[in-house]
Amino acid sequence: MLANKTALVTGSTSGIGLGIAKALARQGANIVLNGFGDPAPAKAEIAALGAKVAYHGADMSQPDQIEAMMAFAASTFGQVDILVNNAGIQHVARVESFPVERWDAVIAINLSSAFHATRLALPAMLKSNWGRIINVASVHGLVGSAEKSAYVAAKHGVVGLTKVTALENATTGVTCNAICPGWVLTPLVQKQVDAKAEAKGISNDEATRQLLGEKEPSLQFTTPEELGELAVFFCSAAGNNVRGVAWNMDGGWAAQ
Ligand code: NAD
């Protein structure tokens, strides 16, 4: 379905980004990976699916590095047809004790990076009159949780950016939508499970049960594979007129 298309997925060396990159690779897209850590395992997983794969290590908090990454993707594969803004970090603290440096980092990586990559991807997408911009927001783009001010602010911002990008391009073949996961068991959430287990002196299994029980009625994690299939749907012909949605896959979290 996506042969001859190129997908750039930010923050795709692990977790949800890698799951989405693999789902798009299975559809035949060329993949540009990004993210910290050793990219070799992620590259090997994509190559094993028969897709062409490249990697750029841009720090998504740095606009000049995002520009270099977008130029690298264009020179490697021609152009970026599918942009998945996924890179993200978390920091947990009450507002009055939230470190200013962490606030700035969360906003830069979770929100401003999506603006920069989107503004740089749009001209080529509009020229070919086909493009898909998929923003990995969160259920925290729709509702709040205590001690996550920067994350919730950034994710609500991502949902807003999604709507405006969709509207500005509504008469073209370029769509923009957001995916809003609930809990997904990735390194980002494992850290929160570990912190809960340590703070309460409970086992990791019990901490996991409590984490899910507090917010997610299904008591199940959403998987990167399920999120990948939603991204594939947005890229399909059936997604041609899906514009500006913030689609939660959250086990009922936001329905409460
Ligand atoms: P993760 O920690 O497994 O992956 C994050 C990715 O982003 C990694 O590849 C990491 O290297 C990369 N990254 C971090 N900072 C970066 C930077 N400055 N520059 C470039 N890359 C950077 O986390 P995840 O859970 O897969 O999260 C992916 C996205 O999904 C994030 O936007 C997160 O907010 C969102 N999300 C996660 C959950 C969840 O439960 N895990 C729920 C809702 C939304």
Side-chain angles (χ1 to χ4, degrees), residues 86-110:
N86 167 78
I89 58 168
Q90 176 64 283
H91 188 83
V92 180
R94 287 177 56 88
V95 170
E96 67 271 27
S97 48
F98 211 93
V100 171
E101 168 277 324
R102 284 292 86 196
W103 171 276
D104 288 342
V106 171
I107 298 296
I109 296 164
N110 296 22

Side-chain angles (χ1 to χ4, degrees), residues 30 39 73 87 101 129 150 158 163 188 216 254:
N30 308 318
E101 168 277 324
N129 199 32
V158 167
K163 291 175 182 173
L188 182 141
E216 192 140 335

Side-chain angles (χ1 to χ4, degrees), residues 98-166:
F98 211 93
V100 171
E101 168 277 324
R102 284 292 86 196
W103 171 276
D104 288 342
V106 171
I107 298 296
I109 296 164
N110 296 22
L111 174 58
S112 301
S113 72
F115 159 69
H116 291 298
T118 298
R119 72 178 170 80
L120 295 162
L122 272 170
M125 290 180 178
L126 289 170
K127 204 165 168 206
S128 60
N129 199 32
W130 195 92
R132 296 289 187 260
I133 299 170
I134 300 171
N135 293 325
V136 180
S138 165
V139 68
H140 284 120
L142 306 170
V143 298
S145 286
E147 303 193 350
K148 295 188 175 174
S149 55
Y151 189 86
V152 170
K155 295 300 188 181
H156 275 68
V158 167
V159 170
L161 174 67
T162 302
K163 291 175 182 173
V164 174
T165 305

Side-chain angles (χ1 to χ4, degrees), residues 75-239:
S75 68
T76 306
F77 289 124
Q79 76 175 63
V80 172
D81 306 288
I82 300 163
L83 169 66
V84 183
N85 289 309
N86 167 78
I89 58 168
Q90 176 64 283
H91 188 83
V92 180
R94 287 177 56 88
V95 170
E96 67 271 27
S97 48
F98 211 93
V100 171
E101 168 277 324
R102 284 292 86 196
W103 171 276
D104 288 342
V106 171
I107 298 296
I109 296 164
N110 296 22
L111 174 58
S112 301
S113 72
F115 159 69
H116 291 298
T118 298
R119 72 178 170 80
L120 295 162
L122 272 170
M125 290 180 178
L126 289 170
K127 204 165 168 206
S128 60
N129 199 32
W130 195 92
R132 296 289 187 260
I133 299 170
I134 300 171
N135 293 325
V136 180
S138 165
V139 68
H140 284 120
L142 306 170
V143 298
S145 286
E147 303 193 350
K148 295 188 175 174
S149 55
Y151 189 86
V152 170
K155 295 300 188 181
H156 275 68
V158 167
V159 170
L161 174 67
T162 302
K163 291 175 182 173
V164 174
T165 305
L167 289 174
E168 288 181 2
N169 299 290
T171 59
T172 77
V174 180
T175 72
C176 180
N177 293 290
I179 296 178
C180 298
W183 290 124
V184 186
L185 193 56
T186 64
L188 182 141
V189 165
Q190 189 63 52
K191 278 183 215 153
Q192 294 173 63
V193 172
D194 295 345
K196 190 184 267 299
E198 187 167 334
K200 294 194 159 184
I202 54 177
S203 70
N204 261 38
D205 280 356
E206 182 53 28
T208 302
R209 264 192 296 277
Q210 287 188 13
L211 188 97
L212 287 168
E214 281 162 13
K215 300 282 186 181
E216 192 140 335
S218 67
L219 302 177
Q220 283 175 41
F221 289 106
T222 301
T223 67
E225 290 72 25
E226 290 163 349
L227 296 164
E229 291 307 314
L230 181 52
V232 168
F233 168 72
F234 285 141
C235 293
S236 72

